[in-house]
Amino acid sequence: MNVAVPYPANPEVPQMTPSPQAPPGRELIVADVGGTFARVARVVVAAGRAPQILAYQKYACADHPDLASILSTFARDEHAGTEAAVVAIAGLLDGDTLVNANLPWPVSLERTRQASGLGSLALINDFEAVAYAVPYLHADGLSPLSGDHPHTFHWPALVLGPGTGLGAALRFEGGTRPVLASEFGHAALAPGNALEMEVLGLLMKRWPHVDNERVLSGSGLMNLYPCLCEIRGATPRWQTPEQLIAAAQAGDDALAVETLEVFCGWLGSLTGDLAIAFGARAVYLAGGISGHIEQFLRKGAFRERYLNKGVLGHVLRHVPVWRVDHGQLGVMGAAAWYASHHLD
């Protein structure tokens, strides 16, 4: 499906239906679970239509003992049926066990299904779900970071974003497998200048494998910042990403500002690498962190490093980058995944 449908201006406000009765279609529970928050919705899906959100809640993962607790709480509070659920979740399913570095608790597919009382449960990668949601984006909800043309869909489209971790996936126009999921957040971090090489050297003293998430994520900000403090001979002042971002936005802490600038430049370089590697014709930058640092993403370092790819820099000028609020992308994508796999 290549026709865009309206996307809410406020991504945390659900698209409620005006009627108390659910529209025709199949009802299920969908969720988007990251290391910090779980967004859960009751939706109706039908072939050839955009998923419709009937109820929506956002939970702090650390406030719950496991994923089953979140799903069963939502089902009880929203009077949702428990016949089927799809959870878009950060990580990779290995048999029955989710491999993840950022969740506050382990996840077993079958134990979660049983404990939450679900008839069926599917776990998919969180950015796989974001990629399934791309055709439902509306131009009003997109902000350009590179390129100055009005939004149109071009395929394949790369989706990536820093949140608690770093996710990435590729969306094709259609076919039997329209989305290629990825765990590129765990691929090796590539420095692009002398300062980044110095940061990488410090990080390698702590970890034998320094992946992209070690810098390009919320927790990565708190790895990058102390490294820059050590390099500049300063004492770290901030202990959380929220504190660091607030100090950088206020502009009265030079090292906080530099941390965000280095972060955006490094993220721009990785984005360009992925766009080249996958032959992307458009890029959508999501993730919880990107929304909080948009003013820094627009300062120039992101776009400069995105285009700094030698002879292919000219090619990337024709590959637009759009920032999109993460919000309900994951739950919409989880619903779209279910429709594509279970509806004619």
Side-chain angles (χ1 to χ4, degrees):
M1 180 183 296
N2 298 324
V3 179
V5 298
Y7 195 73
N10 182 348
E12 296 299 348
V13 176
Q15 302 173 60
M16 302 299 291
T17 57
S19 169
Q21 290 188 336
R26 188 170 300 176
E27 186 174 320
L28 69 149
I29 295 172
V30 293
D32 175 22
V33 180
T36 306
F37 294 109
R39 298 169 171 87
V40 190
R42 181 166 62 95
V43 301
V44 167
V45 295
R49 290 211 317 256
Q52 292 183 265
I53 296 177
L54 305 179
Y56 177 83
Q57 295 290 340
K58 180 178 175 181
Y59 304 90
C61 291
D63 291 344
H64 295 266
D66 51 32
L67 175 58
S69 171
I70 294 174
L71 295 175
S72 56
T73 297
F74 176 84
R76 181 195 66 225
D77 293 349
E78 298 298 336
H79 307 289
T82 56
E83 179 182 346
V86 177
V87 175
I89 191 164
L92 177 68
L93 194 61
D94 182 16
D96 180 70
T97 303
L98 186 77
V99 179
N100 181 278
N102 299 307
L103 291 172
W105 13 253
V107 176
S108 158
L109 176 61
E110 181 58 20
R111 284 198 295 271
T112 300
R113 186 195 67 77
Q114 292 180 359
S116 55
L118 290 164
S120 69
L121 173 64
L123 300 183
I124 66 173
N125 178 266
D126 57 342
F127 264 77
E128 181 179 5
V130 172
Y132 268 99
V134 165
Y136 303 113
L137 295 175
H138 191 270
D140 292 346
L142 302 174
S143 302
L145 296 179
S146 183
D148 54 6
H149 297 291
H151 178 261
T152 57
F153 288 112
H154 297 283
W155 314 103
L158 169 68
V159 294
L160 77 158
T164 305
L166 178 70
L170 194 66
R171 169 77 202 209
F172 300 97
E173 183 173 6
T176 57
R177 189 179 180 184
V179 172
L180 175 64
S182 148
E183 285 295 333
F184 203 83
H186 296 289
L189 181 69
N193 55 40
L195 177 60
E196 291 172 2
M197 291 181 69
E198 196 168 354
V199 169
L200 179 61
L202 292 174
L203 295 175
M204 291 185 71
K205 293 178 180 178
R206 298 177 59 185
W207 297 289
H209 172 66
V210 179
D211 60 28
N212 289 303
E213 285 191 358
R214 293 297 189 192
V215 167
L216 300 175
S217 64
S219 58
L221 276 171
M222 303 317 297
N223 294 327
L224 175 61
Y225 171 61
C227 288
L228 292 176
C229 288
E230 181 174 344
I231 291 168
R232 304 304 185 207
T235 301
R237 297 173 58 190
W238 315 112
Q239 305 303 316
T240 68
E242 293 79 9
Q243 293 173 347
L244 179 67
I245 292 171
Q249 290 172 336
D252 54 5
D253 185 314
L255 267 173
V257 171
E258 184 181 16
T259 300
L260 268 293
E261 290 174 344
V262 172
F263 180 93
C264 290
W266 218 329
L267 180 61
S269 181
L270 174 67
T271 302
D273 287 343
L274 285 174
I276 290 171
F278 288 128
R281 304 311 303 161
V283 178
Y284 297 92
L285 184 67
I289 295 296
S290 63
H292 295 298
I293 64 170
E294 184 167 358
Q295 70 183 82
F296 291 93
L297 289 168
R298 294 186 174 282
K299 280 188 174 182
F302 176 90
R303 184 174 187 272
E304 178 184 343
R305 293 288 298 283
Y306 172 69
L307 297 175
N308 184 24
K309 299 300 173 186
V311 295
L312 291 183
H314 175 74
V315 174
L316 289 180
R317 290 182 181 276
H318 304 290
V319 181
V321 181
W322 305 90
R323 195 194 71 76
V324 55
D325 286 318
H326 192 93
Q328 293 180 356
L329 276 177
V331 294
M332 287 288 287
W337 179 92
Y338 182 89
S340 71
H341 286 73
H342 296 279
L343 301 181
D344 293 334

